[in-house]
Amino acid sequence: MFGDRSTALKKLSARQHVQLTLHKMKMRRIFLILNALLLIFVFYTSYCFPHKFVRVQGECDSNWLRVDAPDNSETICCKNEPGGYADAPCYIGMDLMPVLGSLKGAWVIPLSALVLNYGSMMLGPDVTMRRVRVYVRRGLLYAAVMTLRTVVLYMGLGQVEKKLGYLVLGSSDQSCWYADRRRGKRCPIGFDHSDHIVLLVSHYMAILLFEWFALNVESVGPSLKCTMLRSWIVIVGGMATYLLFFTASYFHTTAENLMGLIIAQGCVMLPLMLVTQDYFTSYKWLRLHNFVLQPDDSKTDN
């Protein structure tokens, strides 16, 4: 099943070194452009859609009120039927967010490109222990990123933010007139960074961007497999961008969106980008060759 070729790391030739350097340069450009666009997204949506909405209980698929809605305002109803998404904050496809944001979706979908890549490699003629180890390590890297986002940036930071909000901003559970309409009978806290932006950027942009980089480095030429994998990455990234637009537009303030974006960029996207640049060479287990096949390890895929 596995080839007999040596798994020892080979020194790159001058040509291969140049190719890898070019891929790193492209990655830096993509990183800068993507993060600049995300910042523009946040400020644009905040300017065009200044009102924040909160979920309340009701008879529809999802029910919403503006945070600053006057007393006894009518609930905005979003339902999956013609015309059911006409009023903000309703939008077509909003039922995708619970799928991508669920525990299963948030862990399975970002790994799908790597799993498909691994599966096609295992069914191909160029299976070696070196290739298997690299793919497994890359999966573990992604799992570590998602664990960091789930445990530290979501659960841990959320609890800290909630306690600080009540302490500093003096928020009260019953300070809003619609507290009885909300699940848990509590008002929203005064400041709530966009954890959905952290999720979408960390799981569906940073990880897929790293996988895109790995595909480019490991591919020695055009192939059906790479075309299909890149297409899938674009589709998933497009869905995440679509959801991010409406999340930033309707459900958080400018400061909350910006804080969520900075957290995702600083804690996930930037470290992964630095791994692609082989920035952590002093840490043996974080060197790039642990997660991405060197150009001379790659074979043409059908």
Side-chain angles (χ1 to χ4, degrees), residues 40 82 142 147 202 269 276:
I40 293 172
Y142 296 162
T147 300
S202 301
M269 186 168 276
T276 68

Side-chain angles (χ1 to χ4, degrees), residues 31-49 197 201 205 241 244-246 248-249 254 257-258 261-262 265:
F31 172 82
L32 292 174
I33 292 172
L34 177 59
N35 281 278
L37 289 175
L38 287 172
L39 284 171
I40 293 172
F41 245 50
V42 166
F43 288 111
Y44 172 79
T45 54
S46 299
Y47 174 78
C48 293
F49 309 99
I197 286 184
V201 173
M205 294 185 182
T241 303
L244 188 147
F245 176 84
F246 289 103
S249 297
T254 305
N257 287 328
L258 189 60
L261 182 58
I262 290 173
Q265 289 174 325

Side-chain angles (χ1 to χ4, degrees), residues 11 17 20-21 24 35-36 44 84 97 99 106-107 155 177 181 236 259 284 292 300:
K11 185 177 180 180
H17 181 74
L20 183 58
T21 301
K24 291 179 180 180
N35 281 278
Y44 172 79
M97 191 67 243
V99 176
W107 277 73
M155 294 189 294
W177 65 267
R181 296 192 188 183
V236 175
M259 179 60 70
K284 185 177 180 180
V292 179
T300 303

Side-chain angles (χ1 to χ4, degrees), residues 142-260:
Y142 296 162
V145 167
M146 292 187 289
T147 300
L148 170 69
R149 201 285 309 178
T150 304
V151 177
V152 178
L153 303 182
Y154 177 60
M155 294 189 294
L157 190 58
Q159 288 298 317
V160 171
E161 184 180 67
K162 184 180 294 185
K163 291 180 180 179
L164 286 177
Y166 288 137
L167 179 65
V168 177
L169 300 178
S171 300
S172 171
D173 289 345
Q174 301 296 324
S175 61
C176 58
W177 65 267
Y178 49 82
D180 289 340
R181 296 192 188 183
R182 283 177 53 81
R183 183 179 300 175
K185 310 301 180 184
R186 295 181 178 180
C187 296
I189 61 176
F191 184 87
D192 177 26
H193 81 272
S194 180
D195 53 277
H196 278 140
I197 286 184
V198 179
L199 167 69
L200 293 170
V201 173
S202 301
H203 287 221
Y204 296 98
M205 294 185 182
I207 288 177
L208 292 180
L209 186 60
F210 192 98
E211 189 63 22
W212 183 280
F213 169 80
L215 279 172
N216 288 340
V217 173
E218 295 171 354
S219 301
V220 295
S223 69
L224 178 60
K225 184 193 86 170
C226 289
T227 300
M228 294 180 66
L229 287 173
R230 290 190 182 107
S231 299
W232 175 244
I233 289 174
V234 169
I235 290 171
V236 175
M239 288 193 299
T241 303
Y242 179 79
L243 294 174
L244 188 147
F245 176 84
F246 289 103
T247 294
S249 297
Y250 297 140
F251 307 120
H252 291 278
T253 64
T254 305
E256 291 170 347
N257 287 328
L258 189 60
M259 179 60 70

